[in-house]
Amino acid sequence: MQLKKAREIDETTHTGRPKIRQVTQGHRFDVELVRVTKSYNAKSKAVDDISLRIPRSSYCCLLGPSGCGKSTTLRMLAGHEEVTDGAILIQDTEITTLPPVDRGTSMMFQDYALFPHLSALDNVAFSLKVRKVSKAERDRQAREYLELVQMDHLANRLPNELSGGQQQRVALARSLITRPKVLLLDEPLSALDPFLRTRMRAELKRIQKELGITFVHVTHSQEEAMALSDIMVVMNDAKIMQAGPAREVFETPANAFVARFIGGHNVLMSEGREVSVRADACRIGAMPGMRGASGTVTMVEYKGPFVQVSMTSDTGDDLTATMTDAEYFAAAPQIGDTVAVSWDPKAEHVLS
Ligand code: ADP
Ligand code: MG
């Protein structure tokens, strides 16, 4: 089937800033991985038989611990790494063996890799120059993308005259000017300080929504993935543990790994079954009609809106409960205290 594709530039928004939006039609998924495997050597698999569908215009985060196969997955999408087995589709077109430039993907690299002798504008315009677009037109488009990332006022600076965060914005504009169907980002925020990281995170989300293209963003931070994801893919040990909306993953983790990795959950045995219970559903103190455990307090942390109490349970499991600050200041548990923890059985979620 020939896909109908339309790209349009909508010149006006209420902010007066040019708005660039790519509209694509006729497909449901921007990315499909069909039983994809990657073996770098005969002994082990970096990615083991994963399947995934990313709906149109999604912010997708690949989340998991170091070495679980996130970057390998991204590099196979980009075409920087060969697939050992399986197939990859972008907007219904199989691209498994296509060279990177023919896939409709664009990768934003962690080290930004800007040309040091070119201005921000010329860095962004570079790929259009390669495609023999006229100077006037490529400068116009480059300015538009610099505006999108709020860097138009520094268009003439060289990379070494820009901060790390600013260089990253230029790199982002440079990846987007090729009008990719899918933008790939490998730990794009890890080099930034915590303040800039949260700000840039919001910017990425805004830009993704504004452009309407799918972003696939690799991170090992569950907080980052929760904040950004329309679809969150939790990986471990070369496999996908769970994929779905962030809220669904948080509320119904598929297994103990997911519950522990995304945090905020206790994993425990209840009536012979392994269950997760959100830490914010666990209270300090015994309560009639509630399920309970007891533990020895190992840590008490003031978090502002609440106080987090960490314990080791009688069965040797880690256990976390939250207290309101009023509850805490009325009766503060001390490290080494043995305390009861209660939760509503209805808050239990059975793990597989
Ligand atoms: P992540 O990005 O989740 O930290 P990677 O995808 O980089 O993980 O790596 C997954 C696994 O593949 C790891 O065990 C890693 O050591 C291995 N690996 C990654 N790249 C190569 C390579 N070029 N050659 C051999 N093994 C590799
Ligand atoms: Mg990686």
Side-chain angles (χ1 to χ4, degrees):
M1 184 189 75
Q2 188 65 41
L3 297 174
K4 274 195 295 177
K5 298 187 186 89
R7 285 176 175 166
E8 70 181 34
I9 298 178
D10 176 359
E11 294 287 342
T12 51
T13 62
H14 60 283
T15 60
R17 197 162 56 68
K19 184 175 178 183
I20 313 156
R21 191 174 172 84
Q22 292 177 219
V23 178
T24 51
Q25 292 173 332
H27 64 278
R28 282 171 62 206
F29 302 107
D30 274 340
V31 175
E32 279 186 78
L33 302 179
V34 188
R35 309 203 60 172
V36 170
T37 292
K38 175 69 188 181
S39 313
Y40 288 106
N41 53 57
K43 276 178 284 176
S44 66
K45 288 172 178 163
V47 170
D48 187 3
D49 195 9
I50 65 170
S51 294
L52 174 68
R53 285 170 158 179
I54 306 176
R56 280 164 65 155
S57 301
S58 304
Y59 206 113
C60 173
C61 288
L62 302 184
L63 170 69
S66 180
C68 72
K70 306 180 296 293
S71 295
T72 300
T73 303
L74 208 69
R75 290 203 301 269
M76 287 191 289
L77 266 168
H80 299 150
E81 203 69 74
E82 272 181 33
V83 169
T84 308
D85 204 2
I88 304 178
L89 287 80
I90 305 266
Q91 297 184 351
D92 289 350
T93 304
E94 193 185 342
I95 52 97
T96 316
T97 57
L98 291 187
V101 290
D102 296 333
R103 294 181 168 221
T105 56
S106 179
M107 175 88 109
M108 197 184 90
F109 291 98
Q110 207 168 357
D111 59 2
Y112 319 141
L114 296 175
F115 298 117
H117 57 288
L118 295 184
S119 68
L121 186 82
D122 290 341
N123 262 287
V124 175
F126 187 78
S127 68
L128 299 183
K129 187 177 182 183
V130 174
R131 292 175 195 188
K132 308 265 189 280
V133 176
S134 74
K135 176 151 173 58
E137 176 58 17
R138 63 183 192 248
D139 283 1
R140 188 191 69 75
Q141 288 191 33
R143 278 190 192 284
E144 204 164 28
Y145 279 91
L146 281 174
E147 225 168 297
L148 178 73
V149 299
Q150 299 175 346
M151 281 293 293
D152 43 317
H153 60 301
L154 300 174
N156 297 321
R157 294 251 184 112
L158 293 172
N160 69 9
E161 298 166 335
L162 299 171
S163 72
Q166 291 168 337
Q167 289 182 41
Q168 183 172 47
R169 285 167 187 265
V170 176
L172 181 61
R174 194 181 52 172
S175 317
L176 291 170
I177 204 169
T178 61
R179 305 284 181 92
K181 295 167 180 156
V182 178
L183 181 72
L184 308 170
L185 309 109
D186 195 346
E187 311 239 5
L189 305 175
S190 56
L192 305 177
D193 66 59
F195 175 74
L196 261 185
R197 196 179 303 155
T198 357
R199 230 179 77 180
M200 194 63 198
R201 182 169 90 190
E203 286 285 289
L204 285 173
K205 184 81 174 169
R206 172 185 65 80
I207 291 166
Q208 187 272 324
K209 285 283 164 275
E210 212 164 304
L211 293 178
I213 64 174
T214 283
F215 281 22
V216 184
H217 173 139
V218 162
T219 178
H220 58 261
S221 158
Q222 52 83 21
E223 191 206 334
E224 197 168 298
M226 299 266 262
L228 285 169
S229 297
D230 298 313
I231 175 162
M232 182 157 121
V233 181
V234 185
M235 294 182 68
N236 185 39
D237 203 10
K239 293 205 174 274
I240 291 176
M241 299 282 105
Q242 189 170 7
R247 185 168 186 217
E248 184 182 300
V249 174
F250 190 73
E251 304 232 309
T252 52
N255 54 41
F257 173 83
V258 175
R260 290 199 175 98
F261 193 77
I262 59 175
H265 291 265
N266 292 307
V267 176
L268 22 86
M269 295 302 286
S270 177
E271 304 199 313
R273 296 178 309 184
E274 194 174 39
V275 301
S276 64
V277 184
R278 284 167 56 157
D280 60 0
C282 292
R283 313 232 64 90
I284 298 291
M287 274 180 254
M290 297 285 142
R291 207 88 82 189
S294 79
T296 308
V297 177
T298 54
M299 192 165 64
V300 178
E301 282 184 329
Y302 179 62
K303 300 278 191 185
F306 62 94
V307 177
Q308 184 173 307
V309 182
S310 305
M311 292 148 283
T312 303
S313 76
D314 297 346
T315 50
D317 295 313
D318 291 334
L319 203 57
T320 305
T322 57
M323 301 177 84
T324 63
D325 60 350
E327 284 169 342
Y328 176 74
F329 288 108
Q334 304 295 318
I335 289 173
D337 284 358
T338 300
V339 293
V341 181
S342 318
W343 62 91
D344 188 335
K346 288 203 281 293
E348 291 180 354
H349 166 70
V350 180
L351 301 168
S352 61

